[in-house]
């Protein structure tokens, strides 16, 4: 029996090279994903200078998630990336519902344009022989026929792995994901299917694998709270005891060190964005976040955190999301 795979979800502004190295320190997933990267940016700007694509030899194997709506730009972007880098593969974003994706008609907007999505997949497949995946949401209105038709169209054009977050575009995070749709997608397509959505503990990961028969689990928000969760999921898959969590300040200081890999103007903003999530581990986390925000600079913020964390321990699983951004 093939062991299930684990994947770090692509999260805009969060799964940059510094955070990926933090995750790798504790125990990497089987596959890392970049932040959502615009095909236009790759084609019209030097990709070597794009921090969204910066990586090291530790955050590997690394898959680039690409977003856009012009098939010809997907093809050109992948050819450029194949020529200049050694990424493991590429992921087509048909799932994002936020920010620039919504404004530009990328991501989940393409769920309503299946023929365009197929052309994007066809163009991507022409450009590379490397692994090609697609990240999806449920179809609008949770229309299973449309989801399956959309998925079959991508598979027919050379997409090899489907990653499903079973919330519809209109759901946001308000409604629970319908994991049963992951099971339907796996059963009806026979493809390699990865489940995503509300995996907040190793037990959740095992439950998703068992109840959906999916081939792997992609984890997003819980990794922001517990960067060591892949280590723990791997232990659960092997039926080993879950290791103890690190001291609360440890991931904070490790991330601060890794942020040196990012442009200086990005560092404090990225640190603060991640901290908003990490502090939700603690009952007074949002209060802590407000206190930290009063400090200027990463070093000053860490000094405040050291004092706040002096009496804190990481609570047991599951990780609990108290507020989304």
């Amino acid at each position: 029996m093939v062991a299930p795979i684990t994947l770090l979800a692509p999260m805009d502004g969060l799964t940059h090279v510094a955070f990926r190295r933090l995750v790798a320190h504790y125990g990497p997933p089987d596959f890392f994903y970049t932040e959502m990267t615009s095909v236009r940016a790759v084609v019209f700007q030097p990709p070597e200078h794009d921090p969204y694509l910066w990586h090291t030899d530790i955050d590997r194997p690394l898959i680039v998630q690409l977003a856009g709506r012009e098939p010809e730009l997907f093809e050109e972007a992948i050819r450029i990336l194949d020529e200049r880098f050694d990424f493991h593969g590429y992921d087509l974003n048909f799932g994002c519902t936020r920010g620039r994706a919504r404004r530009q008609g990328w991501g989940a907007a393409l769920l309503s344009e299946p023929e365009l999505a197929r052309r994007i997949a066809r163009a991507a497949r022409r450009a590379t022989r490397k692994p090609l995946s697609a990240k999806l949401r449920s179809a609008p209105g949770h229309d299973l026929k449309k989801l399956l038709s959309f998925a079959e169209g991508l598979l027919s054009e050379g997409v090899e792995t489907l990653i499903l977050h079973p919330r519809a575009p209109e759901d946001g995070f308000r409604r629970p994901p319908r994991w049963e749709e992951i099971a339907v997608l796996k059963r009806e397509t026979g493809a390699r299917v990865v489940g995503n959505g509300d995996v907040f503990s190793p037990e959740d990961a095992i439950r998703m694998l068992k109840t959906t028969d999916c081939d792997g689990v992609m984890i997003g928000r819980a990794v922001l709270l517990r960067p060591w969760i892949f280590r723990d999921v791997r232990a659960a898959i092997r039926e080993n005891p879950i290791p103890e969590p690190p001291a609360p300040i440890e991931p904070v200081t490790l991330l601060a060190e890794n942020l040196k890999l990012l442009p200086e103007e990005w560092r404090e903003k990225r640190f603060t964005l991640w901290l908003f999530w990490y502090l939700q581990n603690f009952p007074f986390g949002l209060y802590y976040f407000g206190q930290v925000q009063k400090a200027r600079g990463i070093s000053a913020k860490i000094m405040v955190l050291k004092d706040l964390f002096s009496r804190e321990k990481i609570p047991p699983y599951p990780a609990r999301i108290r507020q989304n951004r």
Side-chain angles (χ1 to χ4, degrees):
M1 181 178 177
V2 178
I5 58 173
T6 56
L7 305 89
L8 171 65
M11 291 177 282
D12 204 20
L14 291 159
T15 51
H16 44 71
V17 60
F19 181 71
R20 296 194 304 265
R21 281 177 63 93
L22 174 66
V23 173
H25 170 83
Y26 290 110
D30 293 301
F31 297 98
F32 288 96
Y33 276 61
T34 67
E35 302 173 70
M36 178 177 67
T37 303
S38 163
V39 292
R40 284 185 164 271
V42 175
V43 171
F44 297 116
Q45 301 171 19
E48 294 85 354
H49 299 162
D50 187 347
Y52 286 93
L53 296 171
W54 290 357
H55 57 280
T56 69
D57 58 353
I58 294 176
D59 52 329
R60 295 287 185 137
L62 180 61
I63 294 171
V64 179
Q65 191 190 65
L66 294 170
R69 56 180 294 110
E70 300 95 346
E72 64 278 7
L73 293 185
F74 274 87
E75 183 171 2
E76 188 173 354
I78 291 174
R79 290 191 191 281
I80 290 170
L81 294 175
D82 259 5
E83 289 171 2
R84 303 186 191 183
F85 301 96
D86 185 27
F87 295 120
H88 178 79
Y90 303 97
D91 181 73
L92 309 177
N93 185 324
F94 299 121
C96 187
T97 60
R98 303 178 64 190
R100 55 183 176 148
R102 183 178 65 251
R103 292 191 298 271
Q104 300 291 337
W106 305 345
L110 292 164
L111 292 171
S112 299
E113 299 183 71
E115 287 306 312
L116 178 56
R118 284 188 63 161
R119 287 169 50 210
I120 288 170
R122 188 183 312 147
R125 185 76 285 169
R126 274 198 308 266
T128 187
R129 299 180 67 180
K130 290 184 177 181
L132 187 63
S133 61
K135 191 167 189 299
L136 319 174
R137 276 193 172 237
S138 299
H142 288 277
D143 188 320
L144 279 174
K145 287 185 178 179
K146 286 185 177 179
L147 172 64
L148 292 172
S149 176
F150 189 92
E152 292 285 6
L154 298 181
L155 293 170
S156 71
E157 301 295 349
V159 169
E160 298 151 322
T161 302
L162 301 171
I163 304 164
L164 179 62
H165 183 139
R167 286 182 169 101
E170 65 270 16
D171 287 348
F173 288 113
R174 297 185 306 274
R175 298 173 183 170
R178 301 186 185 185
W179 285 9
E180 63 272 19
E181 294 185 11
I182 300 171
V184 171
L185 186 64
K186 175 64 183 177
R187 183 178 67 247
E188 296 299 321
T189 66
R192 190 191 205 193
V193 172
V194 171
N196 173 228
D198 284 15
V199 174
F200 295 127
S201 68
E203 292 80 8
D204 286 342
I206 299 302
R207 186 165 55 89
M208 175 180 277
L209 290 166
K210 288 183 176 179
T211 60
T212 70
D213 200 31
C214 64
D215 301 284
V217 175
M218 175 177 274
I219 308 177
R221 292 174 296 161
V223 189
L224 303 173
L225 277 72
R226 313 281 172 93
W228 51 89
I229 193 172
F230 292 112
R231 175 201 70 179
D232 298 349
V233 169
R234 189 168 290 112
I237 289 172
R238 295 171 179 167
E239 299 184 348
N240 292 332
I242 304 300
E244 290 294 317
I249 197 66
E250 183 180 310
V252 175
T253 54
L254 283 169
L255 182 62
E257 181 66 22
N258 285 326
L259 283 167
K260 294 176 182 177
L261 294 164
L262 293 178
E264 188 171 356
E265 65 271 18
W266 277 32
R267 293 173 191 170
E268 187 168 357
K269 183 177 180 180
R270 294 296 191 266
F271 181 79
T272 302
L273 181 57
W274 170 72
L275 204 60
F276 167 83
W277 292 94
Y278 180 66
L279 289 176
Q280 293 188 55
N281 279 306
F282 311 104
F284 300 103
L286 294 180
Y287 167 76
Y288 290 171
F289 185 72
Q291 294 300 108
V292 173
Q293 283 291 74
K294 297 175 184 178
R296 297 291 182 89
I298 294 175
S299 296
K301 291 179 188 297
I302 290 176
M303 292 299 295
V304 174
L305 286 165
K306 283 182 177 179
D307 180 60
L308 293 172
F309 283 161
S310 62
R311 294 172 297 278
E312 289 283 10
K313 290 184 178 180
I314 300 294
Y317 284 111
R320 298 190 183 279
I321 306 296
R322 293 177 168 84
Q323 188 172 341
N324 281 290
R325 268 193 177 179

